[in-house]
Amino acid sequence: MPASVRGKKRDQSVFVRVNPVFGFGWKTRDLSESAGVSSADLKTGLGHMTVAEAIAISNIVLVTGANAPKPMRVTKKIANAPNTSSASVSTYAGYDKLASANAQGFFQSARAKTVSLSAPRASRRTFSGVVTLSNGLMYVQPVDAIAATAERRTTLGIEIASQISATDGQKLARGCRSKPGRVDVALEGDVTARLPFSTAKQSEAGALGSITQMERIEYQ
């Protein structure tokens, strides 16, 4: 860690849009303290939003801690930066902010990361199961191919890759802090499998097995 940023707390909660209906949040230090970077650069140029600003947007899903999707990263090199400041600043930018970021001296250093889905196949022990939370988030996780039969998927509201439309695909997330409910389902041979369920299917999940976890969402 460079000495110029050592000891500076990551106490700023920031969001940017990954697409028109999905907001990605993370904790960062106050980047406007860096030489050559202003609050206007971050807000207008990169699309950084406070939690309150992000929540105020209608029809948007907000998550933090997601493994995917992730926004593009941009980096600005600070010419003649003093020893007390970073020689460059790297952060996330909104999906539609590359041109304005470039205008502020930030250039793309990493592409945005999307969510990939593995479809059910005879050779796969697991595949991507998608369940929908009450805030519209579509959570992706591996599900056991033996346990997640077509009948159980229907009962629990688990969708597979072929069922996800382009519109739905904009609300997918994997590994975020918001989590779906989960249910233990009895299989043959005294074996139990844990499966996720869509929040709208909670009653059906309870009839099918033992619910071990209710949904947990960060932002409604």
Side-chain angles (χ1 to χ4, degrees), residues 102-197:
N102 290 166
Q104 302 298 336
F106 286 87
F107 295 93
Q108 185 173 351
S109 52
R111 294 181 180 180
K113 182 178 180 180
T114 58
V115 180
S116 59
L117 298 176
S118 59
R121 289 182 185 173
S123 59
R124 285 179 174 161
R125 295 184 179 182
T126 65
F127 57 85
S128 298
V130 181
V131 292
T132 304
L133 279 61
S134 62
N135 64 346
L137 171 66
M138 302 189 75
Y139 188 90
V140 182
Q141 72 171 73
V143 295
D144 183 89
I146 294 175
T149 61
E151 182 179 0
R152 291 194 183 107
R153 294 200 306 266
T154 298
T155 299
L156 298 176
I158 300 173
E159 295 183 287
I160 59 176
S162 61
Q163 296 173 290
I164 303 303
S165 68
T167 300
D168 290 340
Q170 293 186 315
K171 300 177 183 178
L172 295 174
R174 174 168 50 82
C176 58
R177 292 190 174 90
S178 293
K179 303 289 184 186
R182 293 186 169 91
V183 59
D184 281 353
V185 178
L187 307 180
E188 293 182 4
D190 199 28
V191 176
T192 299
R194 183 161 294 177
L195 294 172
F197 61 87

